[in-house]
Structures are given as structure tokens and as C-alpha cells.
Amino acid sequence: MRTLACPPVPCFIPVLTINHQAAGGVAPVDKTVTYGTMTGVAGNPDKCWITRNLGASQQAGSVSDPSQGTAGWYWQFNRKQGFDDDGVSRTPNTPWITGISENSNWVSVNDPCTNELGSYWRIPTMTEWDNINNSGKWSDWSGPWQSSLKLHAAGFLDNTSGLLVYPGIEDDIWSSSQQGSMTGAGLKFNFDISSIRNSDKSYGLPLRCIADCAGLVYPAPGVHSSTRATITWNWTAVAGAVGYKWGTANNPVTATEIGAANTKTETGLTCNTSFTRYVWAFNECGISTAAALNYYILSCESCNIPDLTINHTTAGGVAPVDKTVTYGTVTNIPGEPSKCWITRNLGASRQASSVSDYSEASAGWYWQFNRKQGYKHDGSVVTPSWNITTIDENSDWQTLNDPCTLELGAGWRVPTNTEWTNLNNAGNWTNWNGLWNSGLKVHAAGYLEYSTGSLGSRGAEGFYWGSKQNSSSTGQVIQINNSFINLFSNYKTFGYSVRCLNGN
């Protein structure tokens, strides 16, 4: 199992800004403090430490700095209430506890580090202080001060009076380990000693907080599910992680933080392609090694919605007749591989049987440019009546008039001219066989003549709108027949077919 290795640098969270509030019964005063962090400390290299005492407004200027701002606050053993002392008075000025007798280490519910900094922070144990003292071969206060922790002589509050003594001269700092019902262990240092010593639990000593990162392992690959161009990636949650990072490259610096959820969904991926993604766990101390998540999308030919059943009704002013249609879908079309298309014309009752199919059922309905009303032509009569013979407006096809959006739903729309061009260029099409064989099954559905709405060229030619105008009176269209494919502009009042797509 790979574990997190912390280098001697600031932890994953380099600074920790805390808004201390006296109302919580821990901080003695209201104060906002920004704590630096440090890991890689000799003796306990896999722990993250704050670089000043809990409650200290600023870093000490020297090992003998006697100032209140650098000392921080003081605590009696296994009591969560901290005390501030300015050298004249103590806050809060409650009766001092002169004797504590209980068989208990410092419990989590009373731990000021946990209460003020968060659930992953705590008071160091006696063993952790001893490891650091021994590893650094500290013999006096020079060792603690010259270490990256910058420990200094903050003094302490007397066990019988609660008065501040020895600021700038000595430091006694608590561990979370008791040595008896009346004594707790801590690190004591001054100008000529540095060692683990026992103190009466009623002394008020400073605190230095740590967070664990040992055991933060890389996330294990889990189940990855695919719905064609959409993949949901899952990984096994990591104990102790506060969040995860996600990237397309094995580089946590450029990766994106994605919060605490251990799943992520990606859409619009390229079909028939392998994918590798990387995920890291992190907490206050650092970041794990990466887990590589691999997947291969086999096919996207039916989009995310293989069938789309629509109950068309005339009430919306779009469908010319009431009809229920189930549209097939297709994607991965060269030129626009990420787009999803319906495989028949909007309004078509069935798929065309051939590129020259002349039936009304396969033709579907016809639209004038930037008009939401569709028209059906049964070979004799146009429904509804044809009455718009002139369109002169400076506008592309607007969303509020887009029959694809209105009939199929949000995300569906009339293709742009560029999308038709991209398909044509990628397919190197020279006649109607290209679009018919592409998977779109675009065929010769004919058109409605602009002045009368009469039907023309059904089974011989097909005309499909793009969503961009060419001028105030003309719009872009793709034309197909048995001898050529033509991208051109024509009057907006012509009735042409619409083939809908979904995708950005």
C-alpha cells in the first residue's frame, strides 16, 4: 500500500485562517489568526504542524520573545477553555482551577486544536514530542527555536494562582498524554534544558497543534460506468481525506479540486477512444499519490438517449398535426463526432427506405426560416394553410422559434451552417449517397415552394436548413441530389426540412 510522504515544506494547506470566537468556550477572546503550516519535521516527518502556538497573533521574533501576541493562549490539562494573559490580567477571569485529579488523557471533545482548527487537528502525544526532541538532539532552547516549528519561551500560568510566569524565559507545552491522575506530560525547555517533563494538570501551558497524514493512501480504482459518450468514474473513498483532485494528466499541480465526493461524470467524450484520468486524495497535511482510472468507450452510435419518443401536438403552434413519433439517434458522425442527431427528419413517421424515398411519412414536416410553425404536405394539400410569402428580417434562427428545441426539448436545435459544412468536408461527399450512408440517413424529402407552399422534388432532391441567415431575406441551406451536394442560400420563405441535433 502506498502511503503519503510529506516533504519538509508547508503542508498541502500552507496557511490556515481561523476566526476564533469566545462564544465557543475555547478561545478566550475573539480573534482571527492565520497560521502557517509545516511538515517533514525530524522525528515526526509525516505530521503537519502549525508554526506558532494556538492563539498566537504573530510568529515569535526570538526564542526569548516575551510578548503576548507571540505566546498565544494557555490551557489546563484536558480542559477546552483557553486563557489569554497580557501580563496584567487573565481572560476569562474566572476562578482558577487549582487541582485536577482524573484518570484521563486529553480527550477529543476537550481538544482545543480539534475544536478550533478542525477535526483532523489535535494536541501531540508525549511520544511525538519525545521523538522530535530526541531526533533533533535538543539539549536547550536553541533546538526547538532553530527547528522549523519555531518553538519559543512563552511562559506558563501558575497552577495555584493562574498568574503568568517566566514569559521569555521558559516554555512548558502540553502533550495529550497524562502521567497520572494529577499530572500530564509535556515538552519543557529553557536556556539550559530540553526534555519531556511532567506538570501538574492545573498549570496553564501553551499548545502547538498537529494533523495526521500518515496512512493517506492513493484512491483505489473503482467501477467506471459508460453510457456511450458519458462516463461516470468512481473510486474507493480514502479514510482521512478531506477532498480529492482530478486531472487528465498525472500532475496534481494542474489538477482540479472536486470536493469530497468520490465520483465524477464526464460527457461529450470521443467514441472508440481510450481514456485515463487521475485522482488524488488530500487532507491538511498533504496529497496522496495518484490513482489511474482507465476506460475505453466502444461505441457512441446511439448517443445517451437511444430512442426519443415525442408526443407532437398542434397546441404549441409548431407541429402541423397531432402525432407521436419515436426518433432514433446517432452520434460519432465524422466532422461533428460529439453531436447527437435524430436519424429521421423532424415530423417523419418512419425512417426513409432509400435516399429517393418520396413518401410523406418519411419526409416529415417543412419549415420557413426562423418560423416555429411546421407544415405537412400529403402530396395534395399543405397543412396548415400557407400564408407567409415574404420574410425580410435581419436575424438568424432564434431559440424561441427553433422547432427542435420546442418539440424535442432543451439542448436540441437546428444545425448551424458550419456543422453542415464540417460534415460535408469530413465525408468528402459528392452526391446524396454521402449523407444517406453517413448514419444520418438524410434523403430527398423535397421542399415547399415559397409563394404557394406547393410540393416539389420529393424523392428527387432534399433541402435542409442551417440556422444562420445569409441576408435579411435569405438563409443558409444544404441541398442534395443524385449528382451533387450544394451549400448555398435561398429565400427564407421556402419550406425546407429540419434535421435536429444536440450538443455544443
Side-chain angles (χ1 to χ4, degrees), residues 76-77 100 102 104 178 180-184 199-203:
Q76 295 180 298
F77 192 90
I100 297 176
E102 60 186 12
S104 175
Q178 73 165 0
S181 63
M182 300 182 66
T183 58
S199 296
D200 191 287
K201 290 180 177 179
S202 54
Y203 275 101

Side-chain angles (χ1 to χ4, degrees), residues 467-487:
S467 62
K468 301 296 182 182
Q469 71 170 2
N470 185 64
S471 69
S472 62
S473 61
T474 61
Q476 294 292 320
V477 64
I478 184 170
Q479 176 189 11
I480 65 169
N481 59 33
N482 66 347
S483 59
F484 65 83
I485 288 182
N486 184 28
L487 293 159

Side-chain angles (χ1 to χ4, degrees), residues 30-375:
D30 294 345
K31 177 164 52 171
T32 299
V33 178
T34 297
Y35 299 93
T37 65
M38 182 61 61
T39 188
V41 177
N44 286 292
D46 58 352
K47 301 296 192 295
C48 182
W49 300 73
I50 54 173
T51 57
R52 65 180 71 169
N53 292 348
L54 186 59
S57 304
Q58 64 193 50
Q59 187 73 55
S62 67
V63 69
S64 59
D65 190 333
S67 63
Q68 173 199 14
T70 63
W73 302 324
Y74 305 88
W75 279 266
Q76 295 180 298
F77 192 90
N78 197 29
R79 296 297 181 267
K80 71 176 184 177
Q81 177 63 67
F83 296 91
D84 186 43
D85 198 302
D86 61 5
V88 176
S89 60
R90 171 171 47 82
T91 303
N93 192 21
T94 53
W96 188 251
I97 303 173
T98 58
I100 297 176
S101 180
E102 60 186 12
N103 187 24
S104 175
N105 292 324
W106 208 309
V107 297
S108 180
V109 70
N110 291 331
D111 190 319
C113 297
T114 306
N115 282 292
E116 292 296 288
L117 304 187
S119 60
Y120 294 95
W121 293 90
R122 60 178 176 80
I123 300 168
T125 65
M126 179 185 70
T127 300
E128 286 165 333
W129 278 127
D130 196 33
N131 288 343
I132 289 179
N133 189 62
N134 291 336
S135 179
K137 295 181 173 58
W138 295 346
S139 58
D140 58 33
W141 62 8
S142 295
W145 171 250
Q146 291 173 2
S147 76
S148 56
L149 295 178
K150 291 296 182 184
L151 297 170
H152 80 293
F156 55 88
L157 304 185
D158 183 74
N159 65 320
T160 59
S161 66
L163 296 176
L164 178 64
V165 293
Y166 299 146
I169 297 174
E170 185 171 289
D171 192 51
D172 292 79
I173 190 164
W174 282 126
S175 79
S176 61
S177 307
Q178 73 165 0
Q179 288 300 289
S181 63
M182 300 182 66
T183 58
L187 177 70
K188 177 185 181 72
F189 60 84
N190 56 32
F191 70 96
D192 66 354
I193 62 167
S194 178
S195 64
I196 301 299
R197 297 289 180 91
N198 298 333
S199 296
D200 191 287
K201 290 180 177 179
S202 54
Y203 275 101
L205 309 184
L207 291 177
R208 185 64 65 94
C209 304
I210 66 171
D212 294 295
C213 61
L216 185 58
V217 301
Y218 75 100
V223 177
H224 319 310
S225 59
S226 169
T227 307
R228 301 172 178 91
T230 299
I231 282 184
T232 297
W233 311 82
N234 303 276
W235 52 91
T236 301
V238 175
V242 297
Y244 299 91
K245 299 190 80 175
W246 175 268
T248 57
N250 191 3
N251 184 352
V253 176
T254 59
T256 302
E257 288 189 27
I258 57 172
N262 63 321
T263 63
K264 182 173 175 61
T265 299
E266 287 188 275
T267 60
L269 300 174
T270 303
C271 304
N272 302 310
T273 305
S274 296
F275 295 92
T276 300
R277 296 294 184 262
Y278 300 91
V279 62
W280 297 261
F282 67 84
N283 63 16
E284 288 92 337
C285 181
I287 188 166
S288 73
T289 52
L293 310 178
N294 302 298
Y295 205 81
Y296 185 85
I297 296 182
L298 296 176
S299 174
C300 296
E301 292 185 356
S302 297
C303 308
N304 295 328
I305 306 173
D307 295 309
L308 194 67
T309 298
I310 302 297
N311 183 27
H312 295 289
T313 66
T314 59
V318 182
V321 294
D322 294 343
K323 176 166 50 172
T324 297
V325 178
T326 297
Y327 298 93
T329 61
V330 67
T331 190
N332 202 28
I333 303 298
E336 292 291 343
S338 66
K339 306 297 169 54
C340 184
W341 302 71
I342 54 174
T343 56
R344 64 181 72 170
N345 294 347
L346 187 59
S349 300
R350 62 171 174 81
Q351 183 74 58
S353 59
S354 69
V355 70
S356 59
D357 189 332
Y358 55 84
S359 66
E360 182 275 329
S362 64
W365 302 324
Y366 305 88
W367 277 266
Q368 295 175 301
F369 189 90
N370 195 31
R371 294 297 182 268
K372 71 177 185 177
Q373 178 64 67
Y375 295 90

